[in-house]
Amino acid sequence: MEALPPWLTPALLTWLRADMREQRRDLAALARDMAKRFDEVSRELAGLRERMAKLEGSLDGFLAGRRDRDVA
């Protein structure tokens, strides 16, 4: 088996480091995108909670009015 040229190992390490930096940037971009999406979902859930509470209050008021009418 022939010996590897002396430049091969440093060249491979340089390429590997560059590739790892690129992967790290891609992962950072993905993490930022996911954080934005989770924030958006959180805001939407908060809006839905608010709407559900409003509906629950309206329903309670409606049912209370019906109960009072049935008692009389």
Side-chain angles (χ1 to χ4, degrees):
M1 182 172 188
E2 290 184 34
L4 292 175
W7 56 266
L8 187 59
T9 300
L12 286 173
L13 288 175
T14 301
W15 172 78
L16 184 59
R17 284 185 188 124
D19 189 53
M20 288 173 65
R21 277 192 295 271
E22 183 180 333
Q23 294 297 324
R24 196 175 306 133
R25 280 193 298 267
D26 291 346
L27 282 173
L30 178 63
R32 283 191 301 275
D33 185 44
M34 287 177 60
K36 286 179 189 175
R37 290 175 184 221
F38 281 129
D39 289 343
E40 185 178 328
V41 168
S42 180
R43 281 191 298 274
E44 288 179 12
L45 281 174
L48 289 172
R49 269 192 221 110
E50 187 176 322
R51 290 176 63 193
M52 190 166 39
K54 193 175 189 179
L55 180 61
E56 185 181 11
S58 296
L59 186 60
D60 283 345
F62 173 75
L63 292 176
R66 294 208 31 115
R67 274 187 239 119
D68 291 343
R69 197 171 35 164
D70 291 340
V71 170

